[in-house]
């Protein structure tokens, strides 16, 4: 369990520098340059992610179970993951209507993903992992709103619908790949019982 917590702290900690220490972030960019900051940020993020995935796998070998979801709940989660994938793709392309409407598609995707996975994973390691991501996404969204009010950031402006079409098509392709192959390959369990 300790490795899961360490990985989560490192990964979410790096992703929280802008929330908790924007002055430190800017000082590092000023001193080292944007590319060096991105390099350090990326290396720490990858290290944290690897540790939390490994720690999660280790913690699940001796689970403390709070609840067991009914088997049909995996189908509900599978449906919730459709907008998650679309939002993740929308975050990577220029703004269309989707990105402009939700403002921060990655944060919304993380919230839905975490909540959905809490529905079917009632063990302590999952509550820590998915609950941690959910709490982080909520805090980051609040921070984004504060930065917007302070004039430090702007919301995306709606662009051509073609970016929405790309987001939906790309999200659906990614979804199918995860359902059929990637989830079992990356996580070790099929996303829907019976697949």
């Amino acid at each position: 369990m300790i490795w899961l917590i360490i990985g989560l702290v490192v990964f979410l900690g790096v992703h929280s520098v802008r929330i908790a220490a924007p002055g430190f972030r800017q000082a590092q960019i000023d001193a080292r340059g944007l590319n060096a900051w991105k390099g350090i940020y990326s290396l720490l993020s990858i290290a944290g992610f690897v540790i939390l995935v490994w720690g999660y796998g280790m913690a699940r070998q001796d689970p403390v179970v709070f609840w067991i979801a009914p088997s049909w709940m995996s189908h509900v989660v599978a449906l919730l993951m459709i907008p998650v994938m679309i939002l993740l793709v929308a975050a990577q392309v220029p703004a269309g209507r989707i990105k402009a409407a939700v403002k921060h598609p990655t944060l919304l995707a993380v919230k839905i993903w975490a909540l959905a996975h809490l529905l079917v994973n009632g063990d302590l390691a999952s509550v820590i992992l998915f609950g941690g991501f959910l709490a982080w996404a909520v805090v980051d969204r609040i921070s984004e709103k504060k930065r917007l009010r302070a004039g430090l950031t702007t919301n995306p402006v709606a662009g051509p619908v073609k970016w929405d079409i790309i987001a939906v098509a790309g999200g659906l392709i990614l979804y199918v790949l995860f359902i059929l192959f990637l989830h079992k390959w990356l996580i070790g369990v099929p996303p829907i019982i019976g697949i």
Side-chain angles (χ1 to χ4, degrees):
M1 190 70 69
I2 188 68
W3 291 109
L4 167 61
I5 294 169
I6 290 170
L8 200 60
V9 167
V10 171
F11 185 81
L12 294 181
V14 170
H15 285 80
S16 299
V17 171
R18 190 171 192 169
I19 300 168
F24 171 80
R25 177 183 178 272
Q26 191 57 52
Q28 295 304 308
I29 291 171
D30 293 343
R32 303 175 195 280
L34 183 59
N35 288 337
W37 169 255
K38 286 182 178 180
I40 294 166
Y41 181 95
S42 298
L43 287 174
L44 288 172
S45 294
I46 291 167
F49 185 75
V50 168
I51 293 168
L52 80 83
V53 168
W54 181 70
Y56 182 64
M58 296 294 290
R60 289 182 55 168
Q61 292 178 13
D62 188 22
V64 175
V65 179
F66 298 125
W67 69 87
I68 297 174
S71 60
W72 55 265
M73 188 62 78
S74 66
H75 297 283
V76 173
V77 174
L79 287 174
L80 289 171
M81 293 308 294
I82 294 172
V84 168
M85 297 301 178
I86 293 170
L87 289 166
L88 288 175
V89 175
Q92 302 307 313
V93 298
R97 305 295 191 270
I98 295 171
K99 193 172 192 173
V102 300
K103 298 174 182 65
H104 299 282
T106 301
L107 292 178
L108 182 56
V110 169
K111 289 179 196 175
I112 297 169
W113 167 81
L115 183 60
H117 282 75
L118 282 171
L119 294 175
V120 291
N121 294 287
D123 60 285
L124 178 60
S126 295
V127 170
I128 290 171
L129 176 67
F130 300 117
F133 271 93
L134 181 58
W136 170 82
V138 169
V139 170
D140 197 13
R141 184 66 180 105
I142 292 167
S143 174
E144 285 288 337
K145 287 181 180 179
K146 288 180 182 176
R147 284 196 293 273
L148 180 66
R149 284 194 300 269
L152 301 174
T153 187
T154 59
N155 285 328
V157 177
V161 174
K162 72 176 182 179
W163 299 117
D164 297 319
I165 294 168
I166 290 169
V168 171
L172 291 175
I173 290 167
L174 189 59
Y175 174 79
V176 169
L177 290 173
F178 258 88
I179 290 288
L180 296 179
F181 310 110
L182 294 177
H183 197 279
K184 186 169 185 178
W185 180 64
L186 292 169
I187 311 301
V189 293
I192 299 175
I193 295 170
I195 288 184

